[in-house]
């Protein structure tokens, strides 16, 4: 029998090489044998996100956070998926939980600000956007418009 660690390694290797469909297949094979493995569930969600199947990724991420409410990466990825699905309310809920655990995740905080703005909370959005820039600058990632890539 193949170990969970082997399925995890296969899935990661495929994701890193850009083979999201193969990563998904490896993580799903692993989940068939180890259905409660959190890392396999996260890798399944990451593979689905890479394939732009955000609705199915949300399903995996919701299962994951239901089992482990302390998984900040799952909360932040869930927020990102909700943004892609144009569900700002779901995104805000997920980002609030994830950013409590990882307050320096500046890209997630920017998406959180966008989601707040979509819900009409301009003041909250401005505060979160400022915090995102501050967090990025503290990591040396955001110096100014000219020296920072648009996605950052």
């Amino acid at each position: 029998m193949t170990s969970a660690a082997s399925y995890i390694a296969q899935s990661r290797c495929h994701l890193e090489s850009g083979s999201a469909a193969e990563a998904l297949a490896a993580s799903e094979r692993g989940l068939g044998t180890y259905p409660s493995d959190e890392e396999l569930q996260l890798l399944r969600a990451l593979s689905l996100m890479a394939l732009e199947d955000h609705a199915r990724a949300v399903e995996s991420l919701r299962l994951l956070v239901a089992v482990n409410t302390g998984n900040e990466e799952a909360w932040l990825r869930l927020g990102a998926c909700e943004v892609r699905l144009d569900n700002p309310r779901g995104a805000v809920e997920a980002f609030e939980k994830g950013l409590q655990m990882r307050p320096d995740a500046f890209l997630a905080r920017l998406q959180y600000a966008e989601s707040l703005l979509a819900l009409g909370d301009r003041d909250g959005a401005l505060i979160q956007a400022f915090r995102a820039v501050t967090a990025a600058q503290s990591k040396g990632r955001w110096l100014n418009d000219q020296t920072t890539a648009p996605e950052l």
Side-chain angles (χ1 to χ4, degrees):
M1 179 188 294
T2 306
S3 69
S6 178
Y7 288 117
I8 290 166
Q10 290 172 32
S11 185
R12 281 181 193 233
C13 182
H14 289 305
L15 267 177
E16 290 170 4
S17 70
S19 302
E22 291 176 24
L24 176 61
S27 63
E28 288 183 338
R29 280 192 308 273
L31 286 167
T33 306
Y34 305 99
S36 62
D37 190 283
E38 292 180 28
E39 194 162 358
L40 283 169
Q41 194 67 256
L42 181 61
L43 286 166
R44 179 179 188 271
L46 294 174
S47 300
L48 289 164
M49 289 174 74
L51 293 167
E52 302 215 13
D53 189 347
H54 295 46
R56 287 178 57 208
V58 164
E59 291 172 10
S60 284
L61 293 164
R62 287 199 184 282
L63 285 172
L64 188 51
V65 297
V67 171
N68 181 357
T69 59
N71 189 325
E72 75 268 3
E73 183 174 3
W75 283 114
L76 296 175
R77 299 288 182 161
L78 178 57
C81 284
E82 295 287 13
V83 166
R84 296 296 298 267
L85 293 171
D86 197 26
N87 179 10
R89 194 165 309 286
V92 165
E93 176 186 310
F95 285 133
E96 284 175 348
K97 291 178 180 170
L99 288 167
Q100 284 178 356
M101 294 175 262
R102 196 186 301 167
D104 63 340
F106 58 89
L107 293 174
R109 194 168 292 281
L110 277 176
Q111 289 182 312
Y112 177 42
E114 291 172 2
S115 298
L116 288 170
L117 190 58
L119 293 175
D121 184 357
R122 293 181 62 187
D123 292 340
L126 180 62
I127 290 167
Q128 295 308 318
F130 178 77
R131 287 181 179 167
V133 171
T134 302
Q137 287 175 332
S138 72
K139 292 181 173 186
R141 296 287 303 273
W142 196 325
L143 303 177
N144 60 44
D145 299 10
Q146 289 76 37
T147 62
T148 304
E151 67 272 6
L152 299 180

